[in-house]
């Protein structure tokens, strides 16, 4: 096995159990390592620290598999880590019975580059790093052993793979496409999941609890769901007794799936649903002076991939939050999110505060929101804390 020696002082972040080793922290690599191979990580004076996956194409040159420098990284390692991730979910009552569930949340489950989402008895795996890519077969087998699913589909087409020098890979690792559309039930509402063509692995599981919160808040309210994708928040609002729900997205196919999802739920009143294919930035400005809403959800895509893009992202967040705050009726609620890794919760709150000031609205935080428990955040890995939200009540 090759040995990766760190520059003096650069062992500190490894000792704090942060799993990323940036190019600037690496002094030298002794021995031969192909992309994805496991390497021994040692401090400048040769002290063993960890075992990591070597990724020469990426600025994150290595990602730690184990902080035990003696632990063998083999099929059995993945079996242990996958089983532990599955067991953590089974131990949380709100997760145990979910049909749609994130089983593996990458770094925060000790498996950098590995995402696995379960939809009924189908599991969708996404491998985003060259280290994870190399262990595809062991990861798929470990998932099968841990949960006994019937099918495993690989959806490794995330853009970040290119940073690792990897091509997209998609296809069935176990079983084959089911005859029927994949449908899960979430908070009592049926939702179709397009694992082949949908975003991420097909569905935004991280917003499960927040969608339920919307159901609790929606009674008799006029709701505007911006960036609605397949209408997850919208259907929860209808289930909660909303008077009217406007679902807005720029993607025609996402809206079409949203409408089909509504049809899957005959208990919901379809007459209260309005669909709007539009750019949220432009449309929120257009609506000004006309409509007003009692509850607005803003769940935009990632505007900043890294902290370097935070400034541009900040302008975009301010823009939509300002417009949304102006559209709220007195006493209205704004549920607003950022899923940009480069925008911290503190910065996001500042941006929204600026938007409220410019909108001339007094707004109070009544709840801070985050991803569901199957998207845990390892305390040693704050980068995993990507989803933050605020529930605001305006005067
Ligand atoms: N809230 C959703 C997930 C939102 S994903 C859920 O709970 O499932 C982000 C969505 O924003 C995508 O559907 C994408 O099509 C849409 N989108 C991206 N940019 C947009 C824009 N400028 N205007 C409208 N929709 C946009």
């Amino acid at each position: 096995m090759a040995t990766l020696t760190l520059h003096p002082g650069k062992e500190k972040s490894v000792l704090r159990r942060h799993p990323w080793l940036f190019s600037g922290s690496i002094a030298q690599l002794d021995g031969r390592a192909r992309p994805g191979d496991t390497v021994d990580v040692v401090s400048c004076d040769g002290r063993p620290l960890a075992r990591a996956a070597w990724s020469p194409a990426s600025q994150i040159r290595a990602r730690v598999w184990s902080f035990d420098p003696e632990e063998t990284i083999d099929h059995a390692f993945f079996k242990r880590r996958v089983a532990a991730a599955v067991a953590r979910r089974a131990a949380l009552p709100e997760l145990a019975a979910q049909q749609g569930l994130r089983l593996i949340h990458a770094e925060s489950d000790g498996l950098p580059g590995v995402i696995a989402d379960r939809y009924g008895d189908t599991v969708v795996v996404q491998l985003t790093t060259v280290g994870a890519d190399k262990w595809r077969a062991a990861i798929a087998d470990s998932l099968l052993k841990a949960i006994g699913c019937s099918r495993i589909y690989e959806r490794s087409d995330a853009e970040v793979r290119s940073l690792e020098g990897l091509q997209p890979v998609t296809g069935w690792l176990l079983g084959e496409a089911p005859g029927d559309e994949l449908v899960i039930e979430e908070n009592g509402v049926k939702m179709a999941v397009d694992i082949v063509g949908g975003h991420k692995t097909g569905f935004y599981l991280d917003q499960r609890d927040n969608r339920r919160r919307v159901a609790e808040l929606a009674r008799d309210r006029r709701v505007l769901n911006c960036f609605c994708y397949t209408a997850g928040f919208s259907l929860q609002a209808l289930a909660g007794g909303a008077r009217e729900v406007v679902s807005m997205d720029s993607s025609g196919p996402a809206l079409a799936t949203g409408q089909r999802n509504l049809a899957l739920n005959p208990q919901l009143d379809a007459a209260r649903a309005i669909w709007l294919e539009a750019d949220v930035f432009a449309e929120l400005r257009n609506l000004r002076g006309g409509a007003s809403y009692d509850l607005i959800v803003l769940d935009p895509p990632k505007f900043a991939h890294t902290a370097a893009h935070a400034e541009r992202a900040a302008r975009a967040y301010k823009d939509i939050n300002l417009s949304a705050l102006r559209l709220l009726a007195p006493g209205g609620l704004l549920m607003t999110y950022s899923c940009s890794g480069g925008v911290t919760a503190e910065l996001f709150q500042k941006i929204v505060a600026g938007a409220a000031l410019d909108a001339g609205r007094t707004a109070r935080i009544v709840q801070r929101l985050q991803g569901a428990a199957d998207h845990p955040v390892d305390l040693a890995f704050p980068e995993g804390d990507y989803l933050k939200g605020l529930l605001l009540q305006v005067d």
Side-chain angles (χ1 to χ4, degrees):
M1 204 182 307
T3 299
L4 196 66
T5 305
L6 303 182
H7 282 304
K10 296 298 183 185
E11 71 284 355
K12 282 194 198 116
S13 92
V14 184
L15 293 172
R16 282 198 303 265
R17 298 194 150 236
H18 193 282
W20 291 353
L21 292 163
F22 287 93
S23 58
S25 66
I26 291 165
Q28 65 192 69
L29 178 75
D30 295 302
R32 271 178 56 85
R34 284 161 302 161
D37 280 354
T38 302
V39 296
D40 277 322
V41 180
V42 304
S43 64
C44 63
D45 51 6
R47 176 179 161 199
L49 299 169
R51 287 204 158 132
W54 175 239
S55 181
S58 171
Q59 278 309 303
I60 304 174
R61 229 20 89 77
R63 285 181 171 80
V64 173
W65 287 128
S66 177
F67 293 98
D68 172 0
E70 312 261 286
E71 187 166 14
T72 305
I73 309 306
D74 56 5
H75 195 129
F77 165 83
F78 287 95
K79 216 169 150 192
R80 288 193 299 277
R81 287 277 163 105
V82 170
V86 169
R88 278 192 284 278
R89 274 93 182 145
L92 292 171
E94 77 271 33
L95 296 181
Q98 290 297 340
Q99 294 175 10
L101 184 71
R102 174 149 297 190
L103 297 171
I104 304 175
H105 191 46
E107 277 83 352
S108 290
D109 279 305
L111 290 168
V114 184
I115 299 284
D117 289 340
R118 173 181 202 160
Y119 301 110
D121 60 1
T122 300
V123 172
V124 183
V125 177
Q126 187 164 76
L127 308 174
T128 59
T129 61
V130 69
D133 195 85
K134 198 181 174 78
W135 290 99
R136 169 180 289 104
I139 291 162
D141 180 65
S142 303
L143 280 162
L144 175 64
K145 298 269 159 50
I147 63 159
C149 52
S150 326
R151 295 176 208 90
I152 302 178
Y153 184 71
E154 179 170 4
R155 203 41 221 285
S156 300
D157 56 359
E159 239 176 74
V160 289
R161 273 175 69 95
S162 64
L163 302 176
E164 299 269 323
L166 293 167
Q167 298 293 317
V169 175
T170 56
W172 292 93
L173 298 175
L174 172 77
E176 53 188 50
D180 297 326
E181 187 171 41
L182 206 60
V183 174
I184 58 164
E185 194 174 305
E186 184 194 76
N187 304 320
V189 166
K190 290 199 171 68
M191 298 290 294
V193 180
D194 178 1
I195 61 170
V196 175
H199 291 179
K200 304 220 273 189
T201 65
F203 195 64
Y204 288 85
L205 289 166
D206 51 359
Q207 292 284 27
R208 180 191 311 111
D209 296 349
N210 300 324
R211 287 191 283 256
R212 196 189 51 229
R213 185 75 176 116
V214 160
E216 290 168 5
L217 296 168
R219 180 151 305 283
D220 296 330
R221 291 186 191 260
R222 287 159 300 165
V223 178
L224 173 61
N225 178 15
C226 301
F227 308 98
C228 68
Y229 187 48
T230 59
F233 280 104
S234 306
L235 299 201
Q236 288 299 321
L238 289 170
R243 195 191 317 164
E244 170 191 295
V245 180
V246 178
S247 302
M248 194 192 295
D249 201 286
S250 56
S251 158
L255 288 169
T257 306
Q259 283 164 291
R260 270 192 295 118
N261 283 338
L262 179 54
L264 287 174
N265 294 276
Q267 78 279 17
L268 303 179
D269 184 357
R272 299 182 181 203
I274 296 163
W275 305 91
L276 213 54
E277 185 174 334
D279 172 58
V280 169
F281 290 85
E283 190 61 24
L284 286 185
R285 268 182 239 123
N286 283 347
L287 288 172
R288 214 187 145 192
S292 89
Y293 297 92
D294 309 304
L295 169 59
I296 300 181
V297 179
L298 285 180
D299 183 25
K302 204 187 285 180
F303 291 149
H305 290 265
T306 65
H309 300 125
E311 203 171 308
R312 197 179 57 201
R315 279 196 293 275
Y317 286 120
K318 182 162 179 194
D319 183 344
I320 52 174
N321 280 281
L322 173 61
S323 298
L325 283 158
R326 283 182 169 148
L327 287 174
L328 279 175
L333 298 169
L334 174 63
M335 188 183 261
T336 181
Y337 295 95
S338 161
C339 64
S340 297
V343 175
T344 62
E346 195 188 359
L347 174 59
F348 185 57
Q349 184 176 323
K350 263 193 204 144
I351 295 166
V352 177
L357 202 62
D358 287 7
R361 301 297 295 258
T362 300
R364 297 177 177 82
I365 299 172
V366 292
Q367 193 181 356
R368 293 178 198 280
L369 304 156
Q370 59 177 45
D374 47 344
H375 297 63
V377 182
D378 184 333
L379 281 174
F381 182 65
E383 291 83 350
D385 198 8
Y386 66 101
L387 182 63
K388 49 255 144 191
L390 295 171
L391 178 64
L392 304 174
Q393 194 170 36
V394 301
D395 279 356

